[in-house]
Amino acid sequence: MLTLRAGENAIVVAPETGGGVVGWMTGNTPVLRRAVPGAVVAGNPHVLGWFPLLPYANRIARGRFTWRGVDHRLTPNFGDSPHTIHGIGWQRPWSVEMLTACRARLGLDHAGDAAWPFAFRATLDYAVAPDSVTVGIALTNRAPHPAPAGLGLHPYFPKAHDPALRFGATGVWRTGPDVLPAAHGPVPADWRFDQSRRVTPMRLDNCFTGWDGRAAIAAGPASLCIAASAAFTNLQVFTPDWGDFFCAEPVSHVPDALNHAGLPADQAMACLAPGEALAGTIRLILSGRG
């Protein structure tokens, strides 16, 4: 594991466990949920503080899709769920390509396999400043033909300090019993986050569209703002009643996008030509200290 530090702000990165972040501390305050160190060492990405989403975010229904007339079936990767989830980057070891006291670059080369048939190269750039952590994610198509691609970040924020969330969005996908997107429409009044609203009473696992790339979490000393670049046009919000965490995930496309024809460009997965890249940056800025 790698510790990146700037002043009292520090993250611990686990390249061998999905390139994710085990934890983030500002002084004595945990900004993310507390990981289980033994499980991280054992290679379990489910206990991380965050992990990258690529080459797709969220679910692909039953692990099946058709791309340019070819049917693909992916290897299950989420227990007994019929759907594949979160891509493959979170379940693969990454290599360390650059390391300083406050920065790191990780790399992942994928040749194409039953988990994802298209070859790609991905990089993760972490940079820690005294008041922020910046995550850069990039994916380059290494297949000899056009391939779909998507990016995202899956952070787990603690429910301690009775957190409230604020962000702007123009639409949202309602889900069916299978937690897959079923219908898209305007954000209903009881799901609006234009003003801060407490997270704990909410029960969401929904993708908000037309996101402006900004979100604020009011959580006492763990308060922060999220500033995402233009690649991330959607925000997946997950507020389970069975967990001590909630998630606000910047993503480049909506869940199961490959099985929804006719999506607008800001909700669909990118189509990358050979050698073309999709890249984005997410900055998480501390605002709760002092």
Side-chain angles (χ1 to χ4, degrees):
M1 298 186 197
L2 313 173
T3 297
L4 307 180
R5 182 183 300 275
E8 294 188 340
N9 196 29
I11 64 173
V12 176
V13 182
E16 68 279 14
T17 309
V21 162
V22 177
W24 175 6
M25 298 289 291
T26 175
N28 295 320
T29 300
V31 183
L32 304 173
R33 70 170 179 182
R34 291 188 181 274
V36 182
V40 174
V41 171
N44 181 0
H46 295 275
V47 298
L48 291 169
W50 78 47
F51 51 77
L53 303 173
L54 59 89
Y56 62 89
N58 209 275
R59 293 166 177 82
I60 294 180
R62 295 166 294 283
R64 298 180 178 182
F65 65 94
T66 300
W67 179 255
R68 300 201 159 212
V70 178
D71 294 331
H72 297 279
R73 183 168 186 174
L74 306 178
T75 304
N77 73 338
F78 197 58
D80 59 1
S81 172
H83 315 305
T84 55
I85 190 167
H86 299 333
I88 64 172
W90 69 304
Q91 296 178 324
R92 302 293 173 96
W94 293 62
S95 60
V96 181
E97 300 182 347
M98 183 276 289
L99 179 63
T100 70
C102 62
R103 301 177 66 93
R105 168 169 282 196
L106 310 183
L108 173 63
D109 290 294
H110 176 67
D113 58 21
W116 186 251
F118 311 104
F120 65 80
R121 171 167 172 75
T123 56
L124 268 173
D125 284 281
Y126 290 120
V128 179
D131 65 345
S132 65
V133 175
T134 301
V135 187
I137 311 175
L139 184 149
T140 302
N141 179 19
R142 295 300 189 201
H145 45 71
L151 303 174
L153 186 70
H154 197 312
Y156 293 82
F157 300 109
K159 287 181 179 175
H161 306 292
D162 195 19
L165 178 63
R166 177 171 54 84
F167 65 89
T170 59
V172 67
W173 279 92
R174 292 189 178 273
T175 57
D178 53 7
V179 203
L180 294 171
H184 183 259
V187 182
D190 57 342
W191 286 9
R192 295 193 69 89
F193 287 88
D194 303 273
Q195 302 295 323
S196 289
R197 62 187 307 165
R198 294 174 54 236
V199 169
T200 302
M202 307 291 289
R203 297 293 179 266
L204 297 173
D205 191 358
N206 299 83
C207 189
F208 289 78
T209 61
W211 181 46
D212 61 8
R214 299 293 182 268
I217 296 171
S223 297
L224 59 84
C225 295
I226 300 173
S229 66
F232 303 101
T233 50
N234 308 278
L235 189 70
Q236 183 79 22
V237 178
F238 180 39
T239 59
D241 57 359
W242 47 262
D244 60 356
F245 63 84
F246 71 100
C247 304
E249 310 161 37
V251 290
S252 66
H253 63 88
V254 302
D256 200 29
L258 287 172
N259 290 309
H260 285 263
L263 287 173
D266 62 349
Q267 297 183 37
M269 290 184 68
C271 177
L272 301 182
E276 187 178 6
L278 176 66
T281 300
I282 300 163
R283 189 173 181 227
L284 299 102
I285 307 158
L286 295 167
S287 57
R289 293 185 300 180

